[in-house]
Amino acid sequence: MMEKLRIAGREFSSRLIIGTGKYKDGTETAAALAASGAEMVTVAVRRVNLDRSKESLLDFIDPKKYFLLPNTAGCYTAEEAIRAARLGREVGLSDWVKIEVIGDQKTLYPDVAATVEATRVLVKEGFTVLPYTSDDIVAAHRLVDAGAAAIMPLGAPIGSGLGIQNTASIRIMREMITTVPLIVDAGVGTASDAALAMELGADAVLMNTAIAAAKDPVLMAEAMKNAVLCGHQAFVAGRMQKKLYATASSPLDGMIE
């Protein structure tokens, strides 16, 4: 039995967290969620019909089966993100929130200072905050000090599918961030990217476009489930040491002359 993912005292069997945007319809969304094995799913507070007066994404997500993680996608200031988080809690989504404060519209890189500010305010208000941030260890430490329940560095720009672009930064963060989970968020394109993130020591991977934009999103969701599990197993097992020269797989002692 593999150890469960624990965030703020809550346990999850799956280490794959998936978003709910960009699918062609609610039926495909529900099928991909089921195939992924994920237990936590993100929903954009500013992009769903919260009053349920007409068909909503929330109609296809069973709250008894999935843990909802509202996110503040589309926010460009700390104030906007704080308001979105409060709205999500007020309408009964959750007192957990994935904080996104975008600092650059073209790259969708985070505004780290604003993210730290929003995290600090929301933690004081009783939120469990999971911030999307850069792969910067200094920023990560500031977020931990502000009370973040996890650190979520990007692997590459959101929706780019480029895969992990700076493995050294993820390794450093894995080594130095020890009090909260490290979750790679954004940039994954295919299963090998997810496996690599886990092999680097990430506690979980969050993705959306890699599944939703695949030719077969449901099959890709299943592939991502397997990749995250295999990558985590490999990290826990501990890879062999790399060597410059060959080493025989069979021992030479006792060979028949």
Side-chain angles (χ1 to χ4, degrees), residues 1-256:
M1 292 292 292
M2 299 297 292
E3 184 179 351
K4 292 185 177 182
L5 171 65
R6 177 172 293 188
I7 305 174
R10 188 181 184 99
E11 291 186 338
F12 301 90
S13 296
S14 173
R15 291 174 181 270
L16 174 60
I17 305 168
I18 65 175
T20 50
K22 302 184 179 180
Y23 293 95
K24 68 180 181 181
D25 54 35
T27 300
E28 184 178 76
T29 303
L33 289 179
S36 74
E39 296 165 89
M40 185 189 300
V41 298
T42 68
V43 292
V45 174
R46 301 181 68 180
R47 294 174 182 165
V48 296
N49 179 27
L50 297 175
D51 64 15
R52 311 299 286 275
S53 60
K54 56 183 179 180
E55 185 177 88
S56 167
L57 170 65
L58 298 176
D59 295 330
F60 298 91
I61 304 173
D62 183 353
K64 296 179 181 178
K65 184 176 181 180
Y66 301 107
F67 183 81
L68 292 181
L69 177 63
N71 71 52
T72 63
C75 294
Y76 285 82
T77 67
E79 292 75 18
E80 287 180 341
I82 291 167
R83 284 198 300 271
R86 289 170 177 164
L87 176 60
R89 181 163 68 177
E90 287 171 7
V91 300
L93 288 180
S94 181
D95 59 1
W96 285 44
V97 63
K98 176 194 169 187
I99 284 294
E100 294 182 31
V101 185
I102 300 303
D104 179 73
Q105 192 168 17
K106 187 172 183 178
T107 64
L108 300 182
Y109 268 50
D111 182 329
V112 174
T115 301
V116 172
E117 179 185 351
T119 298
R120 184 177 293 112
V121 169
L122 292 170
V123 167
K124 289 180 179 178
E125 294 183 7
F127 283 88
T128 297
V129 182
L130 287 70
Y132 159 70
T133 185
S134 60
D135 58 351
D136 177 352
I137 188 61
V138 176
H141 283 312
R142 294 194 188 285
L143 287 164
V144 171
D145 291 343
I151 299 299
M152 305 177 72
L154 55 83
I158 292 173
S160 68
L162 289 172
I164 310 301
Q165 292 297 291
N166 195 339
T167 58
S169 289
I170 301 300
R171 288 183 187 277
I172 290 170
M173 296 182 84
R174 172 68 292 163
E175 182 177 328
M176 300 183 70
I177 300 299
T178 58
T179 58
V180 298
L182 181 68
I183 303 172
V184 170
D185 176 14
V188 169
T190 190
S192 57
D193 299 330
L196 175 59
M198 298 304 293
E199 288 176 5
L200 291 171
D203 292 295
V205 179
L206 192 157
M207 66 183 73
N208 185 182
T209 309
I211 296 175
K215 292 182 179 179
D216 186 335
V218 177
L219 184 58
M220 183 61 81
E222 184 176 0
M224 292 300 189
K225 175 181 69 175
N226 296 332
V228 167
L229 175 59
C230 290
H232 181 59
Q233 289 175 326
F235 176 74
V236 173
R239 67 157 293 140
M240 64 169 286
Q241 183 179 0
K242 292 183 179 181
K243 302 175 183 179
L244 183 60
Y245 298 103
T247 302
S249 297
S250 301
L252 299 178
D253 296 341
M255 289 183 65
I256 299 174

